[in-house]
């Protein structure tokens, strides 16, 4: 069989934070090759697939020799000879070899790097770009980008409590134009920080370091940056990743920057105030992963006007998506392949969300690499939205730039998701 897996190689490489990570190369009998690199989160949900690290003192415990040993000693022998075109079969084998509910035995970093490498090898064997292989002839769109302008929370030494202050270029007609609009806002925000004497570098995902005296001040600055770049609020709108699990527990939300504590109801009122005062169209993890009632109350309060994304709350699990839908706890899902541990489980989560008419955002992690697989997933699966961090640092730009190449490959038939990707009505 020409597309049988002939060889699987695992090696240690380094991610965008200078930490070790797992890279897997897969070679097929016909000579086709594919590669996958595991990303790594810093603000992780407690139900994510386990990112297997060595522990100990060397490299602060972040080394991945155990995960690599699993690739070489367990995964490679079992998968050799399997058909790379049968992604579901390969991923089922990984799940069976692991045998745990959260990839704790093999390591989610070992399984996702392998799963992505097999997928890339299959597309190479098919002789088409990955997005086209995934689309399998169905019409697909370039995703609406969600791009960070200020990075806070766990990605900036908790300088702000809110993690991501992002923009969505809703008024763009193409992916190319969307990036131009974001580039203008990113630059305007940098100039604004400069003029205030507060430009001091960037956070983990490339967003400007959030030197603010309150969380709301960041929102104000972001709104000013959008206006300074010359855009109306229906052309470039704000999206927030609150990442509330990082500062909320047991219904108590502690904002360090303002030395304030809120209960679930008070925290809801604070955020509803922001929604009134700023052009926000999307909010991720507004409440902590242990606060489903907060998620439900928020989703009920914003009705059809705001996209409510579950990240830590849903951890790319189809079962959790269906359970959250039954309780109306959100209306969109963040899809992080390494939260699930395999491409097939990520796809199943996407399909569950698609059936529900939810928003779907394929997402990078704060620890990234030159791997661009997620851009192809967002396009080929037609999820409509893509979140990769900011508009600087090459591990981020590698993804945005790959989107431009895909748009060029689509040629005259290229379409851009824009507003249609959000699960609510356009205000236009
Ligand atoms: P992480 O954060 O990759 O550091 O976990 C990204 C996010 O919360 O969306
Ligand atoms: Zn998040």
């Amino acid at each position: 069989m020409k597309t049988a897996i002939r060889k699987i190689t695992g090696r240690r490489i380094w991610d965008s934070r200078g930490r070790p990570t797992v890279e897997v190369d897969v070679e097929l009998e016909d000579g086709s090759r594919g590669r996958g690199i595991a990303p790594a989160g810093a603000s992780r949900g407690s139900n994510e697939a386990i990112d297997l690290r060595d522990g100990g003192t060397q490299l602060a415990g972040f080394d991945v020799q155990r995960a690599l040993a699993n690739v070489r000693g367990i995964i490679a022998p079992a998968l050799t000879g399997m058909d790379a075109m049968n992604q579901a079969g390969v991923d089922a084998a990984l799940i069976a070899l692991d045998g745990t509910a959260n990839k704790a035995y093999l390591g989610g970093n070992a399984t996702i790097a392998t799963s992505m490498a097999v997928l890339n090898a299959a597309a190479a064997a098919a002789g088409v770009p990955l997005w086209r292989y995934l689309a399998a002839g169905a019409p697909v769109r370039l995703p609406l980008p969600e791009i960070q302008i200020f990075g806070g929370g766990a990605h900036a030494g908790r300088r702000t409590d809110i993690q991501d202050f992002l923009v969505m270029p809703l008024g763009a007609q193409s992916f190319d134009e969307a990036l131009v609009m974001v580039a203008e806002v990113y630059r305007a925000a940098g100039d604004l920080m400069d003029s205030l004497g507060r430009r001091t570098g960037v956070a983990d995902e490339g967003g400007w370091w959030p030197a603010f005296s309150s969380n709301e001040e960041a929102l104000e600055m972001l709104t000013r940056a959008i206006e300074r770049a010359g855009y109306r609020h229906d052309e470039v709108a704000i999206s927030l990743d609150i990442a509330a699990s990082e500062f909320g527990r047991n219904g108590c939300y502690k904002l360090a920057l303002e030395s304030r504590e809120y209960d679930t109801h008070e925290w809801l009122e604070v955020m509803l105030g922001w929604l009134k005062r700023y052009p926000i169209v999307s909010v991720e993890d507004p409440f902590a992963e242990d606060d489903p009632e907060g998620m439900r109350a928020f989703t009920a309060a914003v009705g059809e006007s705001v996209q409510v994304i579950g990240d830590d709350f849903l951890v790319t699990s189809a079962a959790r998506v269906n359970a959250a839908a039954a309780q109306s706890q959100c209306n969109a899902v963040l899809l992080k392949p390494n939260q699930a541990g395999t491409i097939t489980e990520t796809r199943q989560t996407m399909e569950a969300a698609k059936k529900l008419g939810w928003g779907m955002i394929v997402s990078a992690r704060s620890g990234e690499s030159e791997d661009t697989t997620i851009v192809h997933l967002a396009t080929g699966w037609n999820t409509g939205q893509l979140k990769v961090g900011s508009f600087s640092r090459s591990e981020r730009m590698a993804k945005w730039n790959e989107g431009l190449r895909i748009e060029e490959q689509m040629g005259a038939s290229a379409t851009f998701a824009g507003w249609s990707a959000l699960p609510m009505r356009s205000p236009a």
Side-chain angles (χ1 to χ4, degrees), residues 41-43 155 163 205 241 284 311 334 336 365-366 387:
S43 82
H155 307 150
Q163 182 180 285
E205 297 189 359
D241 182 0
E284 181 174 326
D311 171 14
L334 207 71
K336 288 171 165 169
R365 303 305 303 247
S366 50
K387 181 188 181 205

